[in-house]
Amino acid sequence: MIILPAIDIKDGLCVRLYQGDYAQVTTYDRDPVQVAQRWQEAGASWLHVVDLDGAAQGRPVNTDLIQRMRRETTLQIEVGGGMRSLEQIEQVLALGVERVILGTVALRDRALLEAALARWGERIVVGLDARDGFVAVSGWYETSQVRATALAGELSRLGVRRFVYTDIARDGALSGPNLPALREMQQASESALIASGGVSSLEDLRELAQSGVEGAIVGKAIYTGAVDLAQAARELEKGV
């Protein structure tokens, strides 16, 4: 299982939100690039970057920082937050990142998603963020009436090869991943699944690995020290 340390960027800082609430922000470092380098030194191979300002404003904002991460690490990088057009997707991919994560547009602009898949294929990942099983959009400000499992099945048939699934109630709460919801998502589509939200311990990561997900995003747990990233990467990603 791939472990993807998360770097959430707001106002140029490395932060974590509690359950996606922009009013509940904890700042962990003033330089997200140094954080990326730290996670690389710990043994990470991938980085999950979220442009929180971009998600709120509906356009990429922190591209300079993401470009520095690309230049100053050898990590593979996926980026989400604020991409609403093909031009914006192209702008972020041109930074040299491996893949981008689309959220709101996957629900609201199917034509754009289809065009992005046709053009970039597996470099397009869809982020399905759910609150009580229903998809949330626009930086989690709004909850739709669309079930995450139904949307996953539909988009998988459309050609989406990979989903990042976030249970918002677990995000930043260190309360453990929502394994039943992840099982439902796995049953709903044939696409690869990356789990996000709630990881609080190495045991949580072991359970996720046993569940068969492709990857797990870890945020608050590695910032607070609840999970030792180096140990987790050695055991679960490298099989040592």
Side-chain angles (χ1 to χ4, degrees), residues 12-33:
L13 308 175
C14 178
V15 306
R16 297 299 296 164
L17 304 185
Y18 178 73
Q19 295 184 3
D21 186 350
Y22 281 66
Q24 298 190 62
V25 182
T26 303
T27 300
Y28 284 105
D29 203 291
R30 300 196 64 81
D31 188 351
V33 180

Side-chain angles (χ1 to χ4, degrees), residues 2-211:
I2 300 165
I3 297 171
L4 301 95
I7 294 184
D8 293 358
I9 306 172
K10 185 176 185 298
D11 301 325
L13 308 175
C14 178
V15 306
R16 297 299 296 164
L17 304 185
Y18 178 73
Q19 295 184 3
D21 186 350
Y22 281 66
Q24 298 190 62
V25 182
T26 303
T27 300
Y28 284 105
D29 203 291
R30 300 196 64 81
D31 188 351
V33 180
Q34 286 186 0
V35 177
Q37 292 169 331
R38 190 156 71 242
W39 298 150
Q40 177 175 307
E41 288 165 8
S45 58
W46 274 88
L47 198 62
H48 175 82
V49 179
V50 180
D51 182 349
L52 290 171
D53 300 304
Q57 296 180 35
R59 61 179 180 82
V61 173
N62 289 292
T63 51
D64 288 351
L65 279 171
I66 294 164
Q67 191 167 42
R68 279 187 56 213
M69 286 179 192
R70 168 72 293 150
R71 194 169 59 240
E72 297 178 29
T73 75
T74 58
L75 292 163
Q76 298 181 85
I77 301 173
E78 63 179 25
V79 176
M83 284 165 277
R84 305 282 195 270
S85 69
L86 291 175
E87 291 76 20
Q88 290 171 343
I89 296 167
E90 185 172 38
Q91 175 191 0
V92 175
L93 285 173
L95 301 174
V97 302
E98 276 64 33
R99 56 197 189 206
V100 299
I101 303 162
L102 304 182
T104 299
V105 292
L107 185 62
R108 292 187 169 164
D109 193 340
R110 194 59 48 84
L112 185 144
L113 177 61
E114 290 181 6
L117 288 170
R119 187 166 173 184
W120 292 294
E122 201 168 354
R123 297 182 76 188
I124 302 297
V125 179
V126 170
L128 294 180
D129 306 328
R131 186 180 280 114
D132 299 323
F134 291 92
V135 176
V137 294
S138 299
W140 297 353
Y141 285 120
E142 304 170 38
T143 304
S144 72
Q145 297 302 307
V146 178
R147 285 209 165 271
T149 49
L151 186 58
E154 183 182 339
L155 297 185
S156 183
R157 291 187 292 274
L158 194 69
V160 174
R161 302 279 298 278
R162 181 172 287 101
F163 295 103
V164 171
Y165 178 76
T166 304
D167 186 316
I168 294 171
R170 308 288 178 118
D171 187 71
L174 296 179
S175 57
N178 188 337
L179 294 170
L182 287 166
R183 279 193 293 272
E184 289 180 6
M185 288 292 292
Q186 287 172 303
Q187 292 163 3
S189 88
E190 298 295 316
S191 305
L193 190 65
I194 295 173
S196 174
V199 170
S200 63
S201 65
L202 185 58
E203 186 56 39
D204 284 343
L205 287 169
R206 290 181 181 127
E207 289 185 344
L208 285 171
Q210 290 169 2
S211 78

